[in-house]
């Protein structure tokens, strides 16, 4: 890896999106708790922080992308995705950003439930 710039940009955008998602939850739900509807129709609460959202993005977007597409292709796709997940000035998530974040948080919740809570999120009952 000769140039670390693409990875630095991805890390920068990931941190920004994590912060924007926590802000979205605070505005939308009134706290740093997100309410997720599970496949079986029940609801659960998830405490979101920049750190655990960041960890979810690494696991469910970045690592999964590298595993599926290889490092070079995944890097390009992740950079494009992260840019499209936020508005032009980086002050809030786009509808795509909200959708992607909701899907990865739901995936993390599902994993936590399936693995008896062993995951990067704090999951409770709504």
């Amino acid at each position: 890896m000769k140039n670390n710039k693409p990875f630095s940009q991805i890390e920068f955008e990931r941190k920004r999106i994590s912060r924007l998602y926590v802000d979205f939850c605070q505005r939308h739900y009134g706290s740093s708790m997100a309410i997720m509807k599970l496949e079986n129709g029940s609801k659960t609460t998830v405490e979101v922080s920049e750190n655990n959202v960041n960890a979810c993005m690494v696991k469910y977007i970045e690592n999964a992308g590298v595993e599926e597409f290889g490092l070079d292709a995944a890097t390009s796709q992740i950079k494009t995705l992260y840019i499209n997940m936020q508005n032009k000035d980086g002050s809030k998530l786009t509808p795509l950003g909200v959708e992607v974040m909701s899907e990865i948080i739901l995936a993390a919740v599902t994993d936590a439930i399936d693995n008896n809570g062993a995951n990067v999120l704090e999951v409770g009952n709504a």
Side-chain angles (χ1 to χ4, degrees):
M1 285 187 229
K2 299 171 194 147
N3 186 352
N4 234 5
K5 190 174 183 331
F7 301 103
S8 299
Q9 182 182 358
I10 287 172
E11 183 177 2
F12 175 79
E13 299 298 341
R14 178 187 345 112
K15 287 179 180 181
R16 179 185 293 168
I17 291 167
S18 296
R19 189 171 43 254
L20 293 174
Y21 185 69
V22 171
D23 180 62
F24 167 82
C25 289
Q26 289 172 337
R27 286 183 288 112
H28 189 74
Y29 302 111
S31 71
S32 61
M33 301 292 278
I35 300 171
M36 306 302 296
K37 187 173 183 178
L38 303 175
E39 286 182 14
N40 66 8
S42 65
K43 292 182 180 179
T44 189
T45 58
V46 180
E47 180 158 359
V48 294
S49 69
E50 288 181 38
N51 287 338
N52 64 20
V53 171
N54 202 18
C56 286
M57 292 175 73
V58 169
K59 180 176 180 178
Y60 295 101
I61 295 175
E62 296 173 24
N63 291 347
V66 169
E67 192 174 297
E68 185 170 344
F69 302 109
L71 184 60
D72 291 337
T75 300
S76 174
Q77 291 175 355
I78 292 164
K79 284 172 34 180
T80 300
L81 174 64
Y82 284 0
I83 289 167
N84 290 327
M85 287 175 65
Q86 51 193 311
N87 66 357
K88 297 262 188 228
D89 67 0
S91 63
K92 68 181 209 174
L93 295 176
T94 62
L96 172 68
V98 172
E99 181 180 345
V100 169
M101 294 309 298
S102 295
E103 287 179 17
I104 67 167
I105 298 301
L106 182 58
V109 167
T110 302
D111 280 355
I113 291 169
D114 291 346
N115 295 305
N116 296 320
N119 204 321
V120 294
L121 297 174
E122 295 289 327
V123 179
N125 293 322

